[in-house]
Amino acid sequence: MKVQKGWFDLLRHGETEGGQRYRGVTDDPLTDAGWEQMWRAVRGKGLWDRIVTSPLERCAAFAEALAARHAIVLEVDERWREIDFGAWEGHTVEELMAQDPQALERFWRDPLAHPPPGGERLAAFRDRVLAAWRELASRCWGQRVLIVTHAGPIRVVLAHLSGWPANGLLSIEVPLASLMRLRPQGVRAVEGGWKAAGVARRGEGVGD
């Protein structure tokens, strides 16, 4: 069976101002180091036909700069934004452990059943990200597409394509400024038939 041309790359943003914390809709910019991380991540990866980005600054600013540098088509899609952490927005793990360790531990154990207080429910988050993925994979089949987004949406796509349960999302490792390449394997499909190398599952992770 002939392998289709093109690929989809999932790129997480780099380091942001304010350090590691539950940062979903909080719109912090990249640090200078974060910019450098992202430029390194795309170096030597080839040019893309299209870049799709989350609207949040830590993704969109770099996507705009990369698209302008290489005259690549750029799309901003709200559906690729990070999950809303509600009352946990802007807080570190240490702060939340001091305030309500039971709630945090329940979230780590089963985020589908125990979302952050006042936050976006994981089922709704998963539905919007997968809607964006299915639409893009169908519309841009055979193209080279870069999606600049966050740890949460990347985990959703990887879990979906790998058949992993949604309550295990937080075990998928997505380092800052990491780039994951997805290649279609033979058939024109958006639900399966994709190969990703280097996917690791460990730890709780923090959405960002």
Side-chain angles (χ1 to χ4, degrees):
M1 184 177 292
K2 185 179 179 180
V3 175
Q4 298 292 328
K5 295 180 180 179
W7 61 78
F8 281 61
D9 286 331
L10 299 169
L11 174 64
R12 185 186 177 190
H13 63 80
E15 178 187 85
T16 51
E17 293 184 3
Q20 189 174 30
R21 58 188 64 243
Y22 280 96
R23 182 185 290 102
V25 297
T26 304
D27 205 8
D28 291 330
L30 294 170
T31 63
D32 289 344
W35 278 96
E36 292 173 6
Q37 289 168 345
M38 296 190 77
W39 285 121
R40 284 199 303 270
V42 301
R43 191 175 299 140
K45 299 300 182 182
L47 293 182
W48 294 272
D49 302 306
R50 183 179 309 271
I51 299 173
V52 180
T53 183
S54 158
L56 296 174
E57 184 177 354
R58 58 192 182 272
C59 296
F62 176 79
E64 290 168 2
L66 180 63
R69 176 176 291 189
H70 298 290
I72 302 171
V73 174
L74 176 66
E75 299 178 14
V76 179
D77 190 334
E78 289 276 349
R79 295 173 296 179
W80 288 103
R81 70 187 185 278
E82 183 60 280
I83 193 169
D84 185 343
F85 288 103
W88 292 357
E89 281 284 330
H91 290 281
T92 65
V93 169
E94 292 76 18
E95 289 169 345
L96 295 175
M97 285 297 289
Q99 295 170 13
D100 193 348
Q102 290 79 18
L104 191 58
E105 289 167 1
R106 286 194 297 268
F107 172 69
W108 286 344
R109 186 169 58 251
D110 189 353
L112 195 63
H114 302 285
E120 185 176 9
R121 297 196 69 86
L122 184 60
F125 171 62
R126 180 184 58 190
D127 287 348
R128 71 165 163 87
V129 171
L130 291 182
W133 163 256
R134 291 178 178 123
E135 186 271 332
L136 189 64
S138 177
R139 175 167 58 90
C140 298
W141 183 263
Q143 296 183 26
R144 298 162 298 178
V145 180
L146 174 65
I147 303 169
V148 186
T149 185
H150 312 266
I154 293 174
R155 289 181 176 122
V156 166
V157 173
L158 294 179
H160 174 68
L161 296 180
S162 301
W164 296 333
N167 62 6
L169 282 180
L170 299 183
S171 68
I172 301 172
E173 280 288 301
V174 185
L176 288 170
S178 58
L179 188 145
M180 181 68 62
R181 178 155 293 179
L182 305 177
R183 290 187 179 275
Q185 300 297 293
V187 297
R188 183 184 176 96
V190 298
E191 298 302 321
W194 293 82
K195 182 179 181 181
V199 180
R201 298 181 67 188
R202 55 183 177 272
E204 294 92 2
V206 175
D208 196 22

